[in-house]
Amino acid sequence: MTTAAADFAKRLDRTAEETERLLGQLLSDTPLPDEIARPKRLMEAMRYSTLGGGKRLRPFLVVESAAVFGVPREAALLVGAALECIHCYSLIHDDLPAMDNSDLRRGRPTLHKKTDDATAILAGDGLLTFAFDIISRDEVHRDPTVRLLLTRALARASGLGGMVGGQMLDLAGEGRFGDREPVDVARLQQMKTGALLRYGCIAGAILGQASQKEYQALDDYGRALGEAFQIADDLLDVEGDAAALGKPAGADAALGKTTFVTQLGIDGAKQRVRDLLARGDSALSIFGNRGDVLRATSRFVAERKS
């Protein structure tokens, strides 16, 4: 392992550990002011699906994009925790029988298999709404306008024009609502998967009150990273090992999903990833060596095995 790769791995692990610890504190059984009670079954379900696993890539993107501007780590971790709550809620709901009907997530039974559908739905709802509690806190930034911009961007990334809308397009492409609808894979990816990854990058720019040019650079990088992540995910579904993935391989093919691999082929998809890495590197050039960790993140995304 090269020095740069080892440093990246340490930073990724550190952020994952800090995010895990912070989420554990945030998801305690103790009610906050204006909360009446935190039901035990609900909290246990939310913790089950949020703690104890995952690379925490999205919080890592927030922390490292914010570090480019010297933002306090504690503030970036809070924003990363909010983003991770959105991500984990989406996984809970995606796994439900009405959606992807998955039995395994991160090597463990999915939440609805561990508990029941109703508990899983409410745990996802709880994480979704709790994300906006976290991101609106005074500790995130002293300027309420910055907190407002972060909140609005998160809502748009996760909502009807982002992740949720992308999930609807994905289901329509499977033929869930009648005949299969034509799928624009690039647009679908930008919404369903890419929007939250892009948010992880632009959140650092918002926290750091970046210039328009700096914001645009992280936006461009985030878009390239998001697409590269999805293509790598599509390739793993074809070539990956279920034990390493922590979920069944070949799930996309079984559901008849249109993916980058089905459209471009394996070799074409791999070339597209290489092109996206070059695009991301170009976008980060404005930051010089301050962008090195984000460059390493792109390689990690492209070469991951799970």
Side-chain angles (χ1 to χ4, degrees):
M1 183 180 291
T2 66
T3 301
D7 181 58
F8 168 80
K10 288 179 182 177
R11 293 174 77 105
L12 183 64
D13 288 346
R14 179 190 172 194
T15 298
E17 291 168 4
E18 291 176 330
T19 300
E20 178 87 4
R21 186 161 55 249
L22 178 56
L23 285 168
Q25 295 166 356
L26 291 166
L27 292 170
S28 74
D29 290 329
T30 305
L32 296 173
D34 297 323
E35 290 182 346
I36 298 168
R38 290 187 166 192
K40 180 178 175 60
R41 183 177 180 84
L42 178 63
M43 299 312 301
E44 287 178 347
M46 290 168 70
R47 287 192 291 263
Y48 177 82
S49 292
T50 307
L51 304 179
K55 295 173 286 290
R56 310 298 188 190
L57 177 61
R58 291 155 190 82
F60 181 76
L61 288 170
V62 177
V63 169
E64 294 299 341
S65 62
V68 170
F69 305 99
V71 172
R73 190 175 181 88
E74 295 76 12
L77 283 166
L78 275 172
V79 176
L83 178 56
E84 192 70 356
C85 284
I86 296 282
H87 174 57
C88 292
Y89 123 72
S90 75
L91 300 182
I92 294 171
H93 281 194
D94 281 359
D95 288 337
L96 287 166
M99 301 283 272
D100 289 347
N101 194 24
S102 298
D103 295 341
L104 198 64
R105 171 72 65 180
R106 293 174 178 167
R108 301 189 300 172
T110 50
L111 183 58
H112 70 277
K113 286 292 182 181
K114 175 75 173 177
T115 58
D116 57 85
D117 290 3
T119 300
I121 291 168
L122 290 173
D125 292 347
L127 287 169
L128 168 60
T129 51
F130 191 49
F132 293 99
D133 178 313
I134 297 168
I135 206 166
S136 62
R137 296 184 183 189
D138 294 348
E139 303 96 305
V140 167
H141 201 283
R142 66 180 181 277
D143 186 343
T145 300
V146 170
R147 300 198 301 272
L148 174 63
L149 291 171
L150 285 166
T151 303
R152 183 172 65 189
L154 183 58
R156 291 183 179 176
S158 57
L160 57 96
M163 182 187 67
V164 172
Q167 181 67 31
M168 178 60 78
L169 294 178
D170 198 21
L171 293 174
E174 291 175 21
R176 292 290 191 92
F177 315 116
D179 293 338
R180 289 180 184 270
E181 297 183 17
V183 174
D184 181 336
V185 175
R187 174 171 288 185
L188 169 61
Q189 174 279 322
Q190 287 170 4
M191 296 170 70
K192 183 179 176 182
T193 305
L196 290 189
L197 291 164
R198 170 181 170 264
Y199 178 84
C201 302
I202 63 170
I206 296 171
L207 275 169
Q209 296 178 288
S211 69
Q212 183 57 42
K213 189 175 181 181
E214 291 168 329
Y215 177 96
Q216 190 60 55
L218 283 172
D219 190 357
D220 291 345
Y221 166 77
R223 290 175 188 274
L225 179 80
E227 187 172 330
F229 181 96
Q230 184 59 54
I231 297 174
D233 206 51
D234 292 349
L235 286 165
L236 281 171
D237 193 69
V238 175
E239 301 180 320
D241 173 69
L245 291 172
K247 61 182 180 179
D252 290 344
L255 291 168
K257 289 179 181 287
T258 302
T259 69
F260 280 105
V261 173
T262 62
Q263 288 204 337
L264 301 176
I266 290 177
D267 290 342
K270 289 179 178 178
Q271 180 59 52
R272 178 64 178 163
V273 170
R274 290 191 287 270
D275 294 342
L276 288 164
L277 293 183
R279 196 175 101 194
D281 284 352
S282 176
L284 292 172
S285 62
I286 185 177
F287 301 116
N289 59 13
R290 288 182 295 151
D292 284 351
V293 176
L294 293 175
R295 291 187 189 91
T297 306
S298 299
R299 269 71 194 168
F300 168 78
V301 162
E303 297 166 6
R304 66 198 173 92
K305 302 300 180 185
S306 63

